[in-house]
Amino acid sequence: MKKTIVLETDFMTLGQVLKEINVIGSGGQAKWYLAENSVFVDGELENRRGRKLYAGMMIEIPEEGTFFMVKKGEPIDETE
């Protein structure tokens, strides 16, 4: 199932996304979480909490799901 994250601004950081999807409780936990868990951005392993994520990017977190970044106002495809 696709899960979408709607961008209110041009981008979000990976740390902000982790907090948005309730994987971490605060931004300070992002560095620890990324050191202990695999997170993929567009298919590549990512460990930088400050990584900027833009509309059209895909974030995969094993056991949490796959998330697609969309710009506010764009249609959301809820199929699959």
Side-chain angles (χ1 to χ4, degrees), residues 3 33 60-65:
K3 299 175 187 173
Y33 183 86
E60 297 172 83
I61 305 171
E63 299 187 24
E64 295 294 332

Side-chain angles (χ1 to χ4, degrees), residues 20-40:
E20 175 84 14
I21 62 175
N22 295 316
V23 171
I24 60 174
S26 70
Q29 295 173 330
K31 186 175 181 178
W32 167 83
Y33 183 86
L34 292 168
E36 300 289 325
N37 298 278
S38 296
V39 176
F40 299 90

Side-chain angles (χ1 to χ4, degrees), residues 7-8 11 15 19 21 25 27 30 32-33 39-40 42-43 46-47 52 55-56 58-60 62-63 68-69 72 76:
L7 291 167
E8 300 285 331
F11 67 88
K19 188 173 176 193
I21 62 175
W32 167 83
Y33 183 86
V39 176
F40 299 90
D42 290 338
E46 183 59 69
N47 62 4
K52 293 179 181 178
M58 177 180 68
I59 299 88
E60 297 172 83
E63 299 187 24
F68 295 90
M69 307 298 291
K72 185 176 182 177
I76 299 173

